[in-house]
Amino acid sequence: MYSQGLIGADGSTTETPEFLERFQRRIDAEEKIEPNDAMPEGYRRTLVRQIGQHAHSEIVGMLPEGNWITRAPSLRRKAALLAKVQDEGGHGLYLYAAAETLGVSREQMTEELLSGKAKYSSIFNYPTLTWADIGVIGWLVDGAAIMNQIPLCRCSFGPYARAMIRVCKEESFHQRQGYEIVMTLAQGTPAQKAMAQDALNRWWWPSIMMFGPHDADSEHSDQSMAWKIKRFTNDELRQKFIDATVPQAEYLDLTLPDPDLKWNEDKGGYDHGPIDWDEFWRVVKGHGPMAKDRIKDRKAAWDKGAWVREAALAHAEKRCARKIAAE
Ligand code: FAQ
């Protein structure tokens, strides 16, 4: 047995170099880390932060689309949108469950979201103004989510990696339903095509920003890559997404709102124009156009659900007491 080290009352760690080296060797050998395994406190905290934020994003991400369920243009579209929004709720639940294996409770995570301490994806702070936004969210936002999440299926932390496998399958379906909505509009009347173009103009840059800051400004990337939580950097994933999406927009005969978008033969990918990082950080810091509404709606849902949580807990306690009495 080797010594692991100590965690101080202030959260500081004194993990032995021997322990850290042994842990890194497991990571380098592509072993999965499971909840009961010894792990550096920084690894645990990074995962709680990332998985928690990911879970919040899935749950808050239900709101912009939920806004259109009652206004979907046909029964078929309504059924598909309902199923999609429900899937996102399921993704949030798998992710909260994965984070809970690291010793954090769902109540704690929710309180951090509602107090503004925990983040959720910047993309969900924008409004859904027309039906075309629902198509573009499926195409671009789910498309970006897939690009980011496929590598997370190989994340070194077992419960997160396993949750991602099912999530990615469902996100692929979402991406296709979104693309099909946009294709229908783009091939429809001039007014429908203009609506699709307008939605694309508004969602393109926020989708590009979803991948996070440029690598040089990404605080966590180096350590997360070393721990194989992340397998690609923010810029690498952003580039893959742009390269995959440009031909899709060309096929739809829609224009991506970036005059600097140009194929670069030498790098074998597209160059793009400058990203408005001031806007990104404003949104991330809670000043996005819909930020107040999103948190207000989440708080209302959490408060309204209190009686369900209390009833479930009382039921579980009763069952437990009966079981103990019978033993
Ligand atoms: N929004 O050092 P990095 C979906 C923060 S799910 C807000 O690069 P990291 C499904 C970052 O947290 C979408 N904050 O950080 C769906 C950090 O702040 P912190 C969510 C952002 O963790 C579709 C700081 O900036 N997906 O869409 C963002 O190494 C349709 C420095 O950044 C995930 O969460 C941002 N965009 O890399 C649902 C995937 N970017 O925490 C409904 C898992 C960065 O120190 C409808 N997460 N920040 O306070 C990840 O892959 C990573 O966490 C990144 C950020 C890539 C998001």
Side-chain angles (χ1 to χ4, degrees), residues 79-131:
L81 183 58
L82 259 175
K84 178 184 193 293
V85 172
Q86 197 172 359
D87 284 352
E88 308 299 0
H91 299 172
L93 298 186
Y94 315 146
L95 287 162
Y96 283 131
E100 281 175 314
T101 69
L102 290 158
V104 61
S105 73
R106 198 173 302 187
E107 281 73 14
Q108 252 172 290
M109 287 185 274
T110 305
E111 271 157 27
E112 290 190 356
L113 169 72
L114 298 181
S115 71
K117 187 171 171 222
K119 297 187 168 75
Y120 59 92
S121 183
S122 50
I123 193 77
F124 301 119
N125 286 298
Y126 293 87
T128 39
L129 303 179
T130 69
W131 171 250

Side-chain angles (χ1 to χ4, degrees), residues 29 33 66 128 134 136 149-150 171-172 187 221 227 229 248 270:
I33 308 299
T128 39
I134 300 305
V136 169
Q149 288 170 188
I150 294 276
E171 301 290 26
S172 297
Q187 293 171 355
S221 275
W227 278 330
I229 294 171
Q248 295 170 356
Y270 285 87

